[in-house]
Amino acid sequence: MLLRKTDGLLRFSNLLINSRRCVFILSSERKRRADTKKYNPPKWPNREEAKIRVFEQASASGTPKKVKDFVASVSDYVKHHRSPQTQNSEAKSSLTPHEPASEEKAESYRSHQSPRFDPSRLSLLTPAVDIPSSFQKKLGPALKFLVSKEHQNWSLALKQIENAGGFHDESQIDIRKLVYNIPKRQLVLVFPQIERLLQEAGIPKSPKIINAYLKGLVAGGSISDERIQLMENYVAEMRLFGKKSRLSRESYEILIEAYGKSRNIAKMESAINEMRALGLTSTPNIYHSVLNTCVYKTGDHKQAVQIFDLMKFLSGSMAPGPSQYQDIIVSYINNNDVEKALDLYEDMLSKNVPTNQKILVALARGCAMRKQMRLRAWDFIFEIYEQGWEPTIPTLEYMIYLAAKDGDLSLSRALYQRLNVLESLSPRSFGFLMLAYAHSGATYDIKKYTVPAVLVHERGKNFRRNLIDKTTFTPNMNNPKTAVPFLPMNSLMSANELLSESSAVMAHSVLVNPALVSQASVDMFMDIAAKLGSLEEFIDRYNQFTYFDDEGVPITLSVSLIEKLPSSHKQLDTNMNTDAQDGKEKILTHTKSPILSPNVKGIHQLRFPRTTKTYCIALQAAAKSRNYEFSQVIWQERGLHRKSKSFRSLDANKRKDFDFQFAATMVHCLTEMELLDDALAILVSTEYQFKWTWKELKPLHVAAVKLGHDKITKTVRGIASRAQVNFEGKIKRSDFKKYVSVRGF
C-alpha cells in the first residue's frame, strides 16, 4: 500500500510539474527597452513670453474671415499699382543671396563662374580630341584634320606643328597629352615624327611616351618577331631611366601581353619572374594576358582553368570580369565541354557580371555542336536581339554555322547573301557556306530528315521566313565581286542543284575573290561531292584543289596514285536525284562549273596540301561508292603523309588524335563495304593504342549482328568494356568481386 501511495504521489507531482512548466522561446526580433523616464515636453524659457504667444494665437484664430480677405485684397492692390521708381529701387536694393552687394564683388563673382555655352565661339575647326591649347595655336587651320574621331590625319597635323616650332617651349605634360590623344594604329606610324620632334627640342623620351607607343604595337591579334624585337629595343632604352634596370608595372604588363600574343611562353615567364623578384605584385591585366594566351595561342585548357580559378579565389580586384569569363567559356567550348560553359554562364548571371555579345555567340556555337542543344543555341542568338545589341559580322557568320549544323541550307544562303551585299565576306563565312551545302537536308535519306531547330523556335520561324523572303538571290552584275552565282530560288531541292551551285560559288570565289578560299572550305567543297556526287566528281575536285606534300618523305610518288587508277576502278555512282516526276529515274549529270575546267586560262590555281581530314573525306567517298581499290590508295598515301615534315612537326597528342581519327574512318569504310573481318583486324591491332568508344564501334557491331557474326560482336563488346577499364577508370569485374569479399557487402 505504501508503495502504491508513494507511486501515486510521484506520478501526481510529475504531472503537476509538467502542467506548470514554462517554455521560453528566443525571438529573432530586437525589442526596444521601454522608456522608464516620464517624457517631459520642452517648456518656454520665459513664462510671460509663453503667455503672450498663446494670446496671439488665440486672437489670430478668432480673426473673422472678412478681415483676412480685406487685408489680402489691399496687399494685391498695392503690389500691382506701385510706381516704377519704387520697383526699380526695390530691385536694386533686393539682391539675391548668392549675389555680392557691390559692383566690384559682382564682377569678381561673375569671373569665377563657368562660362555659358556660346555657339558663336565654336566653328567647324573645333578638334574632336582634347589637345592642349599651346598645340592648338600651333596647329591653326590644320585642326581640320582632327575634326572627326573616326578620320584623323595626325601625320599632317604633326608636320604643321613642326613648321610652327615643333616641341620647343612645350612642357612634357602637354606633349604626353598630345601623344595620348593619338589613336594606337596611327601612333605606330607617326611615332618616328614624334621622336624627331623630341630630339630637335632636346627633350628625352620619357617611359610614359614609350609605353604609349608600345601599347600601339601590342594592339591587334598576333605580333610578328620583328615587332617583338622592336619592342625589346625600346624596353632596353627604358631600362636606362630606371634604377637597377627596373621597369614600371605598366611596362611589364605590355611586355607580358606582347610575349603572349607572339606565343613566346619562355620570355613571358621570365618577365613574370622578374616582376616577382622586384616585389611587384601581379595585376588583373597580367592575369588576363596569361589567360588569353592559354586559351587562344597555346590551347592549354588546364592552365587556363587554373588561372581562372585562382582569380576567383583571390576575388576583390582580381575577380574575373566579362573578358575573363568570355575566355574561359571559349576554352571549355573548344574542349567540347559545353555543360561546364553553361554552368559558368549561370555563374555570371548569379554574380551580376555583365554579359556581352561574344559570350552569347560562343555559347551558341557550343550548343550547335550538340544536336539536343540546338534549340538552346538559337535562344542565345535571339537574346542578342532582346538586349538591343546590333549583331556584328562574327555573329552573322556563326548564325550561318548554326544554320549549317542544323541542316538549314536556305537560311545559310540568305545570311551569306546579306554579308555579301554588305561586302563583309571572310574565309570563315565562305567555309560555313560550304559546310551548309555538305550538311544540307537533301544529303540524307527522307526517313532520317529532321526539322531544323529554328522552325521549332518561338521566334525563329518568323525570323527565318522574313529573312528568306526579303533576300534577293539574283546576282547583281553591276559589281562582279558581289555577284555570287546563286540559283534564283529560295531553297534547293535536289542533289544536282546543290552540286551545281556549290561548284559555281567556288568558281566565282576562285575567279573574283581568291582570298576567301581556305583549307577548311576546300575540305567542305570535297565533302559535298563525297556525300552527293559520284566518285568521278570527287576525284576531280580532289586532284584540282589538293596535292600530296612530299616534303620530308624519303620515298615519294612521282605521280599521284589517284591519277594512276584505271578507268574501270573509277566507278560512277548513279544514285543521284533528278527532277523526274516519278523520282526513280537515275542519271549521271555533269555539275562542274566551266570556269573550273583546266582549259580556262587566267584562273588562280589554288591547291592546298592534303591533311588527315582530307584523307578521311576521301575514305567516305570510297565507302559510298564501295571502291576498295580507291580506299587502298588513300590509306597508302596517308601512310606516306605520316612521314612528311608537316605531320612530324605536330605535337605528339595531335598526331595521336589524327591517327585515331583516320583509324576510325577506316573501320567505318570497311564496315560499309561489308569487310567486317578487316575492320575487326584494325580494332584488335589498335585496342590499347586508342580510346575506342561505342560511337566508333556501334556501326560494326550492328553490321555483325545483322549478319549473325557472333565472334565479331563478342570481340567488339570486349574491346569496348576493356576501353572503359583502361581509359575511363571503370573497375574490373574480378576486382569488384574481391572488393565485395573483403568488405562483406
Side-chain angles (χ1 to χ4, degrees):
M1 296 294 292
L2 293 174
L3 290 174
R4 290 180 182 176
K5 289 182 180 180
T6 307
D7 187 36
L9 182 60
L10 290 173
R11 285 200 302 269
F12 176 76
S13 62
N14 290 334
L15 180 62
L16 185 62
I17 292 172
N18 292 332
S19 62
R20 294 184 179 182
R21 181 175 296 170
C22 298
V23 180
F24 297 94
I25 300 175
L26 295 177
S27 175
S28 60
E29 298 180 357
R30 298 182 62 183
K31 296 183 178 180
R32 291 185 177 181
R33 188 175 179 181
D35 295 331
T36 55
K37 295 183 179 181
K38 190 175 181 180
Y39 176 73
N40 296 323
K43 298 181 180 180
W44 295 106
N46 193 350
R47 186 177 296 274
E48 296 296 332
E49 184 179 358
K51 289 182 179 180
I52 295 172
R53 286 179 177 271
V54 172
F55 177 78
E56 289 177 353
Q57 291 177 1
S59 60
S61 61
T63 305
K65 185 178 180 181
K66 294 181 179 180
V67 177
K68 289 184 179 180
D69 295 339
F70 176 76
V71 172
S73 62
V74 171
S75 61
D76 291 337
Y77 177 81
V78 173
K79 185 186 297 183
H80 292 292
H81 291 81
R82 55 187 172 179
S83 62
Q85 293 81 4
T86 308
Q87 294 181 8
N88 294 335
S89 61
E90 289 181 357
K92 292 181 180 180
S93 60
S94 60
L95 297 174
T96 59
H98 303 285
E99 189 174 355
S102 63
E103 289 294 332
E104 296 179 357
K105 292 183 179 180
E107 289 296 331
S108 63
Y109 173 78
R110 296 189 192 98
S111 63
H112 286 84
Q113 295 297 313
S114 59
R116 295 182 179 181
F117 174 74
D118 188 5
S120 61
R121 297 181 181 179
L122 302 178
S123 66
L124 294 176
L125 296 180
T126 303
V129 292
D130 186 15
I131 300 176
S133 58
S134 58
F135 284 108
Q136 289 188 17
K137 295 178 181 178
K138 290 184 177 181
L139 283 170
L143 284 173
K144 64 182 180 180
F145 301 119
L146 308 176
V147 171
S148 174
K149 287 186 177 181
E150 291 77 14
H151 306 285
Q152 300 178 16
N153 194 335
W154 279 95
S155 178
L156 296 178
L158 290 174
K159 286 183 179 179
Q160 177 62 28
I161 292 175
E162 184 178 2
N163 296 332
F167 288 170
H168 292 283
D169 301 330
E170 296 289 347
S171 63
Q172 292 192 7
I173 296 177
D174 290 343
I175 295 174
R176 285 202 301 269
K177 286 182 179 179
L178 181 71
V179 173
Y180 292 161
N181 285 314
I182 302 176
K184 293 181 180 179
R185 293 184 178 180
Q186 291 199 37
L187 182 59
V188 175
L189 302 176
V190 302
F191 193 72
Q193 293 180 258
I194 296 174
E195 287 183 309
R196 188 176 68 255
L197 292 174
L198 289 171
Q199 186 177 4
E200 292 175 355
I203 301 174
K205 288 180 292 187
S206 64
K208 293 184 178 180
I209 293 179
I210 297 177
N211 283 334
Y213 174 57
L214 295 181
K215 287 181 180 179
L217 293 175
V218 171
S222 58
I223 301 177
S224 61
D225 295 337
E226 293 79 8
R227 184 164 287 191
I228 289 292
Q229 184 62 39
L230 179 62
M231 293 182 64
E232 289 178 346
N233 294 336
Y234 279 101
V235 169
E237 186 177 348
M238 281 194 298
R239 290 184 184 275
L240 301 176
F241 294 97
K243 296 180 180 179
K244 298 181 180 180
S245 302
R246 180 172 179 172
L247 299 175
S248 63
R249 194 190 306 270
E250 184 181 11
S251 302
Y252 282 114
E253 290 179 359
I254 299 171
L255 264 183
I256 292 171
E257 183 180 357
Y259 288 142
K261 290 184 177 181
S262 63
R263 301 185 181 184
N264 197 333
I265 307 301
K267 290 186 177 181
M268 188 177 184
E269 293 178 352
S270 176
I272 295 174
N273 294 332
E274 185 178 347
M275 281 188 64
R276 292 176 180 174
L278 294 174
L280 297 175
T281 58
S282 299
T283 61
N285 293 334
I286 293 176
Y287 279 100
H288 186 206
S289 299
V290 177
L291 179 62
N292 190 279
T293 302
C294 294
V295 174
Y296 300 105
K297 302 301 180 182
T298 62
D300 193 348
H301 177 63
K302 292 183 179 179
Q303 185 69 25
V305 172
Q306 291 178 0
I307 294 172
F308 183 79
D309 292 341
L310 179 61
M311 295 181 71
K312 291 181 67 176
F313 175 76
L314 295 175
S315 67
S317 61
M318 294 291 182
S323 300
Q324 290 76 28
Y325 271 100
Q326 173 188 328
D327 294 341
I328 197 64
I329 285 174
V330 170
S331 182
Y332 274 111
I333 289 174
N334 291 341
N335 285 269
N336 200 22
D337 195 350
V338 184
E339 291 78 10
K340 183 61 178 178
L342 293 174
D343 292 341
L344 286 171
Y345 176 69
E346 296 296 333
D347 185 40
M348 288 184 65
L349 298 181
S350 62
K351 294 181 179 179
N352 295 326
V353 178
T355 60
N356 54 42
Q357 190 169 165
K358 293 182 179 179
I359 293 176
L360 297 178
V361 171
L363 291 171
R365 177 171 64 90
C367 293
M369 295 187 294
R370 307 288 178 86
K371 188 175 181 180
Q372 63 274 16
M373 290 186 179
R374 286 173 187 167
L375 191 63
R376 182 75 184 276
W378 285 110
D379 287 336
F380 288 118
I381 292 296
F382 290 120
E383 188 175 346
I384 296 174
Y385 291 94
E386 292 176 0
Q387 295 288 343
W389 299 331
E390 184 178 356
T392 59
I393 299 300
T395 301
L396 296 176
E397 290 176 347
Y398 278 106
M399 288 174 70
I400 299 175
Y401 171 76
L402 180 54
K405 295 291 287 185
D406 215 8
D408 193 352
L409 177 60
S410 301
L411 182 57
S412 299
R413 293 169 72 238
L415 291 168
Y416 186 84
Q417 181 66 2
R418 287 299 179 93
L419 289 176
N420 178 44
V421 172
L422 296 174
E423 297 185 2
S424 301
L425 296 179
S426 65
R428 180 165 55 187
S429 59
F430 183 73
F432 289 161
L433 179 64
M434 293 292 113
L435 179 67
Y437 286 118
H439 286 199
S440 174
T443 62
Y444 304 112
D445 188 4
I446 191 65
K447 297 180 181 179
K448 299 180 181 180
Y449 176 75
T450 56
V451 178
V454 69
L455 292 176
V456 186
H457 197 274
E458 183 179 357
R459 298 180 57 186
K461 188 175 182 180
N462 295 331
F463 170 79
R464 180 182 183 274
R465 183 180 64 250
N466 295 334
L467 182 63
I468 294 175
D469 291 343
K470 294 179 181 179
T471 303
T472 303
F473 293 99
T474 305
N476 183 12
M477 303 310 297
N478 295 329
N479 187 0
K481 194 172 183 179
T482 60
V484 179
F486 286 120
L487 293 175
M489 54 183 67
N490 291 342
S491 60
L492 306 181
M493 303 304 297
S494 66
N496 288 339
E497 293 173 353
L498 286 169
L499 288 167
S500 301
E501 184 174 288
S502 63
S503 180
V505 171
M506 175 61 75
H508 174 267
S509 299
V510 171
L511 180 64
V512 178
N513 198 355
L516 295 179
V517 185
S518 62
Q519 177 76 59
S521 60
V522 167
D523 288 340
M524 291 298 103
F525 182 64
M526 291 187 296
D527 195 24
I528 299 168
K531 291 180 177 179
L532 293 174
S534 63
L535 185 61
E536 182 186 32
E537 289 175 319
F538 174 79
I539 292 175
D540 181 71
R541 297 184 179 187
Y542 185 82
N543 289 329
Q544 184 174 4
F545 287 95
T546 64
Y547 67 94
F548 174 66
D549 185 11
D550 57 356
E551 184 181 0
V553 180
I555 302 175
T556 59
L557 300 175
S558 58
V559 183
S560 178
L561 291 174
I562 298 177
E563 295 176 354
K564 283 186 174 182
L565 285 176
S567 59
S568 60
H569 291 162
K570 296 182 180 180
Q571 300 176 1
L572 301 180
D573 181 52
T574 58
N575 297 324
M576 297 180 62
N577 297 328
T578 62
D579 295 330
Q581 295 180 358
D582 55 359
K584 297 181 180 180
E585 184 180 357
K586 310 291 182 180
I587 61 173
L588 178 64
T589 56
H590 195 70
T591 56
K592 182 179 179 180
S593 174
I595 299 177
L596 296 179
S597 60
N599 299 327
V600 179
K601 297 182 180 180
I603 302 297
H604 298 278
Q605 297 297 328
L606 295 176
R607 300 186 72 190
F608 297 90
R610 292 165 188 163
T611 60
T612 301
K613 188 173 183 179
T614 307
Y615 293 122
C616 290
I617 295 173
L619 283 182
Q620 293 174 5
K624 180 174 176 288
S625 61
R626 298 197 174 189
N627 192 316
Y628 180 77
E629 289 79 4
F630 177 66
S631 62
Q632 192 175 13
V633 170
I634 293 300
W635 62 59
Q636 286 177 0
E637 185 175 320
R638 205 271 170 178
L640 294 175
H641 169 71
R642 294 186 75 255
K643 301 177 183 179
S644 64
K645 182 179 179 181
S646 60
F647 186 82
R648 287 183 298 173
S649 61
L650 297 174
D651 184 62
N653 294 329
K654 284 191 175 182
R655 292 200 301 266
K656 187 176 181 179
D657 292 340
F658 287 150
D659 288 341
F660 175 62
Q661 183 181 357
F662 186 76
T665 309
M666 286 180 64
V667 171
H668 176 73
C669 177
L670 294 172
T671 303
E672 291 292 323
M673 296 179 185
E674 297 182 356
L675 300 174
L676 304 186
D677 293 330
D678 294 342
L680 184 64
I682 295 175
L683 285 178
V684 173
S685 62
T686 59
E687 176 183 355
Y688 297 100
Q689 183 180 358
F690 302 131
K691 178 183 174 182
W692 293 98
T693 62
W694 272 110
K695 179 181 178 181
E696 297 85 21
L697 301 178
K698 186 177 179 180
L700 177 60
H701 186 268
V702 172
V705 169
K706 287 182 179 180
L707 296 176
H709 208 313
D710 297 337
K711 182 180 178 181
I712 294 180
T713 56
K714 184 178 179 180
T715 307
V716 170
R717 288 197 301 268
I719 292 174
S721 61
R722 286 190 292 273
Q724 291 177 347
V725 173
N726 296 330
F727 298 102
E728 298 294 340
K730 185 178 180 180
I731 190 171
K732 296 181 180 179
R733 187 176 182 85
S734 58
D735 295 338
F736 179 72
K737 288 183 178 180
K738 188 183 297 183
Y739 172 80
V740 172
S741 63
V742 173
R743 293 291 300 269
F745 57 89

